[in-house]
Amino acid sequence: MQYKKIIALFLFICSLTLSCSGPSNVRVIKMGHALVTSHPVHEAMLFLSKRVEEKSNGRLKIKVYPNQQLGTERELVELLQIGSLGMTKVSSAALEGFAPMMQVLGVPFLFRDDEHLTKVLRGDIGKSLLLGAEKYWLRGLCFYDAGKRSFYSKDKPIEKPEDLKGLKVRVMESNMATNMVRAMGGSPTPVAYGELYTALQQGIVDGAENNPPSLYTSKHYEVCGYYSMNEHTALPDVVIVSTKVWNSLNQEEQQWLQEAADESALYQYELWEASTQKSLDELKKAGVVITYPDKEPFRQAVQPMYEALKTDEPEIYQIIQEIQKIQ
C-alpha cells in the first residue's frame, strides 16, 4: 500500500471512531470488508454484530463497513496489523502473504468432499491455522464457507486445461493461485477484486475464477458468459481480528466475540448453501453457459505443484499429508 494512501485511510478511520463513539462504557469495533451488501458473507457479519451486541447487553458492538469503504482486502489486513481497524473478513488466499501456513488451503484439489473440508477446518488443523497468524498481529476467529472456485471466461468455456492456453486469468495476490493457473496453462494476472469488472470489460484479463455467489453478486456474468465448474479449490474465508484490539478486550469481551463469531459461522454455512443454488439459478436465467468438465485432467495438471511443495515448502507439504489422513 502506498504511504500516502495508508495515511489517508488511517485518518479516515480515526474520524469514524469519533463519529461512532457512544457512552463511555460502550466499546465499538470497526469491521471492514470488500464484498457487496447482497453477498451472504455480509449477512453473516451483520449476524455476528447482532449476536455480540445481544451477548454483551449493548456494551460491545461491531460496526460493519462493506464494499471496500475502508480499503481493499490487503489494505484492510494491513490496517488490522497496526491496530487502526478492528476486524475484517478475507479469503484465506489473501492471508498467504501475512501468514504463510495459510497457503495450504489454496492447494488445488486438496479436499475429497465437503465433509472432509469441514472436518479439517473445525478440527485441530483449522484451529492451528487460525491462531498461526498471531505472530503477525492477526488472530483468526473462525472460517466462513466460500464454496468451490471455478473458471469463468468471456469467449469460450474452459473444458480442459488446454483451453486456458493464451488466456489472461485474474488471480488473487496468492502464490498458490498463481502457480495453479500457470500449471494449467493459463497466464495468471493479479487484479484487485473491486477492479475486476472493469478489467474484464477492457480486456485486461480474459477470465477469472471464483464461487457462484461471487460471480453473481459481482455481476461479472454481464461480461463473462461461460462458467466452467471444475471446482479446483475450496478456499474458505477467514474472520480475523487485530491482536492489538483482541488483547485490549477483557476475558469476558473476548468470550462474547469468539462465541458470536462461531455462531455466525454456522449461520453463514446455511446462507452459503442457499445462496449457491440461487446464484446458479440466476446465472442460468441470465444466459450464462454453465458446464461441468471432467476434473481429472485439471487434477493431473497440478500434480507437479505437490511435488514442488515437497522440496520447496516441506512444512506446507507436511500439513497436506496430515489433511489427507483425515477420514
Side-chain angles (χ1 to χ4, degrees), residues 35-51 122 143-147 211-214 216-217 237 260-280:
L35 299 172
V36 296
T37 55
S38 59
H39 200 285
V41 168
H42 176 71
E43 294 182 51
M45 283 185 272
L46 294 181
F47 180 85
L48 190 163
S49 175
K50 177 184 175 184
R51 291 299 293 135
R122 295 183 184 175
F143 290 106
Y144 279 175
D145 189 1
N211 51 59
S214 293
Y216 176 62
T217 59
D237 284 336
D262 291 338
E263 290 174 17
S264 77
L266 295 175
Y267 179 62
Q268 191 269 341
Y269 269 60
E270 296 176 6
L271 288 175
W272 189 266
E273 184 176 1
S275 179
T276 297
Q277 187 56 56
K278 177 186 175 182
S279 298
L280 288 171

Side-chain angles (χ1 to χ4, degrees), residues 17-30:
T17 302
L18 294 174
S19 66
C20 291
S21 60
S24 59
N25 63 334
V26 175
R27 180 75 181 270
V28 179
I29 299 175
K30 299 180 296 295

Side-chain angles (χ1 to χ4, degrees), residues 92-93 95-96 99-106 129-130 143 238 316:
S92 56
L95 284 177
E96 288 182 16
M101 291 301 104
M102 280 287 180
Q103 291 183 74
V104 71
L105 297 176
L129 291 172
L130 287 174
F143 290 106
V238 191
I316 297 294

Side-chain angles (χ1 to χ4, degrees), residues 215-244:
L215 173 56
Y216 176 62
T217 59
S218 66
K219 297 188 177 181
H220 293 166
Y221 65 88
E222 294 177 348
V223 187
C224 294
Y226 299 95
Y227 194 28
S228 306
M229 301 281 284
N230 71 320
E231 300 182 327
H232 44 256
T233 50
L235 285 164
D237 284 336
V238 191
V239 176
I240 54 177
V241 60
S242 165
T243 56
K244 296 179 184 295

Side-chain angles (χ1 to χ4, degrees), residues 21-299:
S21 60
S24 59
N25 63 334
V26 175
R27 180 75 181 270
V28 179
I29 299 175
K30 299 180 296 295
M31 182 177 192
H33 69 87
L35 299 172
V36 296
T37 55
S38 59
H39 200 285
V41 168
H42 176 71
E43 294 182 51
M45 283 185 272
L46 294 181
F47 180 85
L48 190 163
S49 175
K50 177 184 175 184
R51 291 299 293 135
V52 162
E53 187 167 354
E54 290 172 346
K55 288 176 180 292
S56 66
N57 291 317
R59 286 182 285 164
L60 184 62
K61 297 183 179 182
I62 296 174
K63 177 67 174 176
V64 181
Y65 297 88
N67 205 26
Q68 292 193 152
Q69 289 181 44
L70 305 184
T72 64
E73 279 201 338
R74 183 176 184 85
E75 290 167 350
L76 293 173
V77 174
E78 290 172 341
L79 288 168
L80 256 69
Q81 289 183 306
I82 62 175
S84 295
L85 183 65
M87 297 174 63
T88 189
K89 184 290 310 173
V90 294
S91 168
S92 56
L95 284 177
E96 288 182 16
F98 302 91
M101 291 301 104
M102 280 287 180
Q103 291 183 74
V104 71
L105 297 176
V107 173
F109 302 105
L110 176 64
F111 303 105
R112 292 188 299 274
D113 49 35
D114 290 342
E115 182 181 3
H116 183 214
L117 170 63
T118 300
K119 284 183 178 180
V120 172
L121 296 185
R122 295 183 184 175
D124 292 339
I125 292 175
K127 292 176 183 176
S128 176
L129 291 172
L130 287 174
L131 299 181
E134 282 193 306
K135 66 176 95 173
Y136 307 100
W137 307 286
L138 305 167
R139 180 185 177 93
L141 293 175
C142 65
F143 290 106
Y144 279 175
D145 189 1
K148 299 178 183 66
R149 300 175 74 93
S150 298
F151 292 111
Y152 53 91
S153 48
K154 294 170 64 175
D155 301 322
K156 63 179 182 179
I158 308 301
E159 296 293 281
K160 52 189 182 301
E162 290 78 8
D163 292 332
L164 288 164
K165 186 176 181 180
L167 295 186
K168 299 185 294 292
V169 180
R170 178 265 176 177
V171 294
M172 295 176 283
E173 290 188 38
S174 156
N175 287 333
M176 204 65 72
T178 297
N179 292 339
M180 177 193 71
V181 170
R182 188 175 289 127
M184 292 181 182
S187 177
T189 308
V191 176
Y193 186 70
E195 300 170 4
L196 180 52
Y197 189 101
T198 302
L200 288 164
Q201 276 187 318
Q202 296 178 349
I204 296 172
V205 292
D206 304 301
E209 48 89 46
N210 217 321
N211 51 59
S214 293
L215 173 56
Y216 176 62
T217 59
S218 66
K219 297 188 177 181
H220 293 166
Y221 65 88
E222 294 177 348
V223 187
C224 294
Y226 299 95
Y227 194 28
S228 306
M229 301 281 284
N230 71 320
E231 300 182 327
H232 44 256
T233 50
L235 285 164
D237 284 336
V238 191
V239 176
I240 54 177
V241 60
S242 165
T243 56
K244 296 179 184 295
V245 172
W246 175 263
N247 293 333
S248 72
L249 301 175
N250 61 41
Q251 187 172 357
E252 187 178 36
E253 290 169 331
Q254 290 177 349
Q255 183 176 343
W256 292 334
L257 183 55
Q258 184 63 65
E259 287 179 355
D262 291 338
E263 290 174 17
S264 77
L266 295 175
Y267 179 62
Q268 191 269 341
Y269 269 60
E270 296 176 6
L271 288 175
W272 189 266
E273 184 176 1
S275 179
T276 297
Q277 187 56 56
K278 177 186 175 182
S279 298
L280 288 171
D281 291 342
E282 293 298 325
L283 289 169
K284 290 177 183 176
K285 289 179 185 177
V288 175
V289 177
I290 300 176
T291 60
Y292 296 84
D294 182 5
K295 297 178 185 179
E296 190 57 30
F298 293 95
R299 186 179 285 108

